[in-house]
Amino acid sequence: MRILVMGHKGMLGSDLVETFGRDHEVSGIDRDEFDITSAGDCLRVVEEFNPDAIVNAAAYTDVDGCETNRDACFAVNAEGVLNIASACRGRNTKIVHYSTDYVFDGTKGRPYVEEDPCRPINLYGESKRRGEEALLETAENHVLIRTAWLYGRQGKNFVKAILAKAKEEGKLRVVDDQVGSPTYSLDLAQATKLLVERDSRGIYHVTNRGVCSWYQFALRIVEYAQLSGVTVEPIKSHEINRKAMRPAYSVLSNRKFMEATRKAMRPWQVALNEYLTGQSHIHR
Ligand SMILES: NC(=O)c1ccc[n+]([C@@H]2O[C@H](COP(=O)([O-])OP(=O)(O)OC[C@H]3O[C@@H](n4cnc5c(N)ncnc54)[C@H](OP(=O)(O)O)[C@@H]3O)[C@@H](O)[C@H]2O)c1
């Protein structure tokens, strides 16, 4: 298949290029070659590459930044998706797009399934939900993958932030009242490839398996990285001043993905351990 990865320089995008590149003809584009907020750019790119599938990992991903840069965040996460879907109309190009656990309000107390109502509690979640709606209404052939708590080899992420702070200060304070599923972007890229190859359509929740708080996640990072003498203190969300609210419980059920592909995602601890022991591959 001819695959076009949008946002190929990002954390997930770089893993998508590597993963799809093993069996398919892959091209990647990023902000230096097109602006997803421009309908004209999106049309030009679709006509130029004429791919069988677009995998869109381009997004505005700074959750707190969205609260102060509302227009930029909605332009990329909502209008950008509409631009791609509109550019592909009538071509039967498959569009794979990513959304987030933050489209949910975090009050369910049990894993969210694909049909659960969305009630975002921050602007990032709202913009991603608007992007979902644009995709579902406009794209004829789409896969919408909701994921959560991503970390990977490229770009900034929670794992790298914890490693840096542990090494510099030896002391960490991490929230213990937000629960979710850490997900390795390479695992998500492989899951995406599976869904595309079996011509899946519709919404899928895909994360690594298992559940933890950010505090429990940080404990494992310190343990697997074999950093001794580091203390990790659990705190409550209200003790840190963040612009965006976060859902308290945003675990996503992977059941539909497992039934469709007959594959289970790895437990988050296994993926994290592999990521950290292959640390020489982590690019800043
Ligand atoms: N990170 C997470 O924890 C997380 C959790 C749940 C869901 N997701 C979703 O997963 C997907 C991938 O996330 P990620 O963390 O891998 O993203 P990322 O590392 O921030 O990469 C996003 C890429 O999109 C590019 N981009 C931004 N604005 C653009 C524009 N106007 N035109 C063209 N390209 C543009 C960025 O370029 P610049 O770097 O130059 O801005 C960057 O290369 C996103 O849809 C995100 O919402 C992420």
Side-chain angles (χ1 to χ4, degrees):
M1 290 173 80
R2 284 166 57 83
I3 309 281
L4 176 61
V5 175
M6 294 181 162
H8 78 112
K9 293 183 179 168
M11 185 162 64
L12 175 61
S14 54
D15 285 336
L16 286 166
V17 170
E18 182 181 313
T19 303
F20 275 93
R22 286 194 207 109
D23 297 307
H24 302 280
E25 189 188 326
V26 180
S27 308
I29 49 167
D30 213 299
R31 198 204 275 279
D32 46 358
E33 286 151 286
F34 89 119
D35 182 352
I36 202 171
T37 68
S38 155
D41 275 11
C42 290
L43 197 58
R44 170 179 57 81
V45 157
V46 168
E47 282 172 356
E48 194 178 312
F49 289 90
N50 191 26
D52 299 308
I54 289 176
V55 187
N56 176 37
Y60 190 111
T61 55
D62 176 356
V63 175
D64 291 308
C66 287
E67 299 293 318
T68 42
N69 297 303
R70 188 183 192 284
D71 289 352
C73 149
F74 275 73
V76 176
N77 292 345
E79 285 155 41
V81 185
L82 181 61
N83 288 341
I84 299 168
S86 304
C88 290
R89 274 193 79 82
R91 308 179 79 97
N92 199 33
T93 314
K94 182 184 280 299
I95 304 175
V96 183
H97 177 66
Y98 297 91
S99 190
T100 168
D101 54 331
Y102 287 3
V103 295
F104 298 115
D105 67 8
T107 59
K108 186 181 176 190
R110 278 173 293 119
Y112 283 95
V113 294
E114 286 76 359
E115 301 76 27
D116 277 327
C118 294
R119 270 186 229 102
I121 59 171
N122 58 38
L123 286 177
Y124 169 73
E126 234 178 78
S127 70
K128 293 296 291 185
R129 178 59 191 158
R130 286 267 293 279
E132 289 190 358
E133 287 167 350
L135 183 84
L136 300 174
E137 283 162 18
T138 313
E140 292 122 354
N141 182 348
H142 61 253
V143 185
L144 174 63
I145 299 175
R146 294 198 188 113
T147 190
W149 296 27
L150 280 189
Y151 61 90
R153 294 168 294 178
Q154 296 284 352
K156 288 188 207 160
N157 60 62
F158 180 79
V159 181
K160 289 184 188 178
I162 289 292
L163 288 176
K165 201 148 194 241
K167 284 175 193 161
E168 278 157 27
E169 299 174 19
K171 231 173 146 184
L172 303 164
R173 299 171 79 233
V174 186
V175 295
D176 198 26
D177 56 359
Q178 289 167 32
V179 170
S181 305
T183 303
Y184 186 11
S185 55
L186 194 58
D187 287 17
L188 179 60
Q190 283 158 3
T192 303
K193 183 166 174 276
L194 269 180
L195 287 171
V196 170
E197 286 172 345
R198 61 183 300 286
D199 197 20
S200 304
R201 290 164 196 226
I203 308 177
Y204 291 88
H205 287 178
V206 183
T207 60
N208 276 127
R209 192 146 37 106
V211 176
C212 65
S213 70
W214 290 108
Y215 163 72
Q216 291 162 330
F217 188 16
L219 281 180
R220 290 291 181 151
I221 295 165
V222 169
E223 179 193 334
Y224 294 160
Q226 300 182 332
L227 300 174
S228 53
V230 176
T231 59
V232 188
E233 182 195 340
I235 58 167
K236 299 294 169 209
S237 299
H238 67 78
E239 293 179 65
I240 48 169
N241 229 347
R242 304 192 84 174
K243 289 199 177 81
M245 281 176 59
R246 267 86 170 159
Y249 178 97
S250 59
V251 178
L252 303 176
S253 166
N254 281 356
R255 175 185 281 207
K256 185 178 170 194
F257 169 80
M258 289 197 291
E259 285 174 356
T261 60
R262 304 263 152 228
K263 298 266 188 224
M265 294 294 283
R266 295 191 283 183
W268 69 266
Q269 298 93 330
V270 175
L272 177 66
N273 200 3
E274 185 188 289
Y275 171 81
L276 287 171
T277 48
Q279 242 191 85
S280 58
H281 304 296
I282 301 172
H283 311 299
R284 297 218 170 249

